[in-house]
């Protein structure tokens, strides 16, 4: 019996590790290709046209978030709980799909009315292009693949779509004025991605329209919808307000800083993504001790990567902006530095929400704190507008302050109210922070050398990486030792395979 449990535990760890690897591979591709695309687009497209595009896109994302109706977040958590029961899954999937069709069509009508009323000419055309994404959002069922941990399919599918998108972009977007073509390609890639996932899911889960119970899901989805909208009171609000009270170009400056950090930290976020279904399952089956152990392992692993990445970006912010956009958007350097610091706290908040509060059915708690702090961010933004100092730097700073407040509040609530032993400040995480802070003086010293741009950047990356890994190896950090054990295991397996052949 004990042996069976040990084998089962080892199998679960192996599956979780594989899922993390698949998700990490996907995120690496989601970094490399968007960085290539983003750099190409930012450098090619006309500054004013790209500013208009980003202004419209920031407003469109508000409509898209509302149209999604919280189905993704709810679906990942709830489908993972009943993944061993095909009938219940089919029933829930059908109900959520019907709700998704209705919400997307309703928002589509409102969106079209807004676009026709608020814009004309080129701006209206850009609004209308995004209709493709709202329609494709009807068949967005990726939450099923996430809940069933189909990360191999998700990774392969997304990689193929990304590559096709990249090739299409390089072929069709060639002039500074090709903003319409660019918008169409962005929307079509989203549609293809959603369509492939829908086909894959439908081959495994059938619709069951008998005895639909839509009302059962509306209340909780509405709560999650509000939570999603409250999240829009942060970075999304900043961009919308910058477009209204500053300039379209300022939206692009803010977007570049936010986008670079968000893209580069997406790899560590795979740890959170793949842990949600497993932790939800453990809680459902009353295994709190194991849940807390895996929770703290996931958060420690997240910070092991997030902290050095964010401080590494901070140390190389000038060079990263130069590489990404050239000198056209040098104003994005300071917002990027602020975004790096706040991202560490946002990551903690993100992990607590998805690994603690959602699995413990504390959606109302998330709603309360995010709404209060969202309103605070709104007030701060309008205060900056009145004082005539509202710009990408101040907008990023106020949002960062609010995000820190949220992270601290959620952490205290988890420890005090939920009585969950959540360990954020440990000797390991403090060590990650201290070593990573050393990146800043190291980069400063290297920049003083009279060497080429690319050699300088490469040298800073190599020195900081070796320093981080080396110091953690000396202290026998659990994450470093785990990675080394996996690498040794792969090498040993490969050698044995070659010997047999």
């Amino acid at each position: 019996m004990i042996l069976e449990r040990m084998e089962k535990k080892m199998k679960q760890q192996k599956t979780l590790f594989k899922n993390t690897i698949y998700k990490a591979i996907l995120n690496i591709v989601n970094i490399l290709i968007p960085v290539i695309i983003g750099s190409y687009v930012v450098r090619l497209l006309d500054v004013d046209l790209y500013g208009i595009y980003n202004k419209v896109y920031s407003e469109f994302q508000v409509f898209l978030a509302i149209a999604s109706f919280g189905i993704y977040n709810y679906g990942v958590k709830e489908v993972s709980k009943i993944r061993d029961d095909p009938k219940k899954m089919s029933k829930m999937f059908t109900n959520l799909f019907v709700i998704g069709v209705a919400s997307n069509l309703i928002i589509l009508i409102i969106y079209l009315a807004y676009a026709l009323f608020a814009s004309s000419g080129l701006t209206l055309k850009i609004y209308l292009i995004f209709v493709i994404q709202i329609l494709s959002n009807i068949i967005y069922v990726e939450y099923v693949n996430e809940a069933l941990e189909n990360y191999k399919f998700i990774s392969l599918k997304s990689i193929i779509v990304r590559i096709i998108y990249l090739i299409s972009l390089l072929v069709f977007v060639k002039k500074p004025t090709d903003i319409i073509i660019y918008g169409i390609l962005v929307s079509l890639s989203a549609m293809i991605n959603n369509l492939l996932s829908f086909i894959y899911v439908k081959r495994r889960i059938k619709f069951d329209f008998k005895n639909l119970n839509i009302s059962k899901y509306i209340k909780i989805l509405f709560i999650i919808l509000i939570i999603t909208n409250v999240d829009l009171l942060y970075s999304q609000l900043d961009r919308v307000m910058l477009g209204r009270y500053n300039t379209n170009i300022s939206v692009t400056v803010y977007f570049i800083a936010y986008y670079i950090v968000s893209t580069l930290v997406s790899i560590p976020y795979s740890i959170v993504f793949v842990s949600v279904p497993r932790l939800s399952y453990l809680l459902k089956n009353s295994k709190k001790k194991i849940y807390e152990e895996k929770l703290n392992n996931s958060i420690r692993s997240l910070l092991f990567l997030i902290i050095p990445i964010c401080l590494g970006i901070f140390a190389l912010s000038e060079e990263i902006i130069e590489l990404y956009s050239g000198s056209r958007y040098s104003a994005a350097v300071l917002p990027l530095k602020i975004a790096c610091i706040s991202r560490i706290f946002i990551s903690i908040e993100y992990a607590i929400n998805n690994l603690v509060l959602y699995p413990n059915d504390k959606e109302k708690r998330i709603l309360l704190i995010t709404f209060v702090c969202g309103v605070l961010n709104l007030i701060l933004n309008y205060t900056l507008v009145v004082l005539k100092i509202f710009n990408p730097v101040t907008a990023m700073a106020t949002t960062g302050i609010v995000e820190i407040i949220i992270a601290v509040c959620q952490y205290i609530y988890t420890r005090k109210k939920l009585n969950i032993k959540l360990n954020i400040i440990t000797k390991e995480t403090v060590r990650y922070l201290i070593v990573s802070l050393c990146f800043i003086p190291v980069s400063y010293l290297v920049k003083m050398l009279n060497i080429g741009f690319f050699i300088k950047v490469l040298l800073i990356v190599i020195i900081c990486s070796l320093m981080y890994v080396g110091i953690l190896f000396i202290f026998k950090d659990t994450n470093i030792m785990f990675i080394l054990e996996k690498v040794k295991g792969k090498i040993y397996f490969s050698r044995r395979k070659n010997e047999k052949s």
Side-chain angles (χ1 to χ4, degrees), residues 55-72:
K55 174 182 176 296
V56 173
Y57 188 65
S58 64
E59 294 179 359
F60 158 74
Q61 285 182 309
V62 175
F63 288 94
L64 186 66
I66 298 173
S68 299
F69 207 63
I71 292 174
Y72 174 84

Side-chain angles (χ1 to χ4, degrees), residues 314-376:
F314 183 96
L316 284 168
S317 55
E318 293 89 352
E319 289 74 18
I320 290 173
I321 293 297
E322 177 66 26
L323 283 170
Y324 185 78
S325 62
S327 58
R328 317 172 87 182
Y329 298 103
S330 58
V333 171
L334 187 52
L336 178 59
K337 289 184 176 182
I338 298 172
C340 291
I341 303 303
S342 62
R343 177 57 61 170
I344 296 174
F345 293 92
I346 292 172
S347 300
I348 294 172
E349 173 204 337
Y350 178 80
I352 294 174
N353 284 349
N354 287 277
L355 299 183
V356 179
L357 300 181
Y358 273 127
N360 283 279
D361 300 317
K362 297 299 179 181
E363 288 87 356
K364 291 182 180 179
R365 164 66 192 187
I366 301 174
L367 171 61
L368 175 63
I369 188 66
T370 51
F371 177 75
V372 172
C373 290
V375 172
L376 174 61

Side-chain angles (χ1 to χ4, degrees), residues 23-39 42 50 57 61 162 165 182 235 239 254-270 273 302 305-306 309-310 313 320 324 336 339-340 343 346-347 396:
K23 191 70 178 178
I25 291 172
L26 172 61
N27 286 337
I28 289 172
V29 173
N30 284 343
I31 286 175
L32 292 177
I33 294 181
V35 165
I36 294 170
I37 291 171
S39 181
V42 167
Y50 193 50
Y57 188 65
Q61 285 182 309
R162 285 285 190 181
Y165 170 52
Y182 170 66
S235 63
R239 279 177 271 177
Y254 185 103
F255 172 77
I256 288 174
Y258 180 85
Y259 176 76
I260 288 174
V261 176
S262 300
T263 303
L264 294 178
V265 301
S266 61
I267 293 179
Y269 277 21
S270 61
F273 275 119
L302 176 67
L305 295 171
I306 284 290
I309 288 175
C310 288
I313 299 171
I320 290 173
Y324 185 78
L336 178 59
C340 291
R343 177 57 61 170
I346 292 172
S347 300
M396 189 73 75

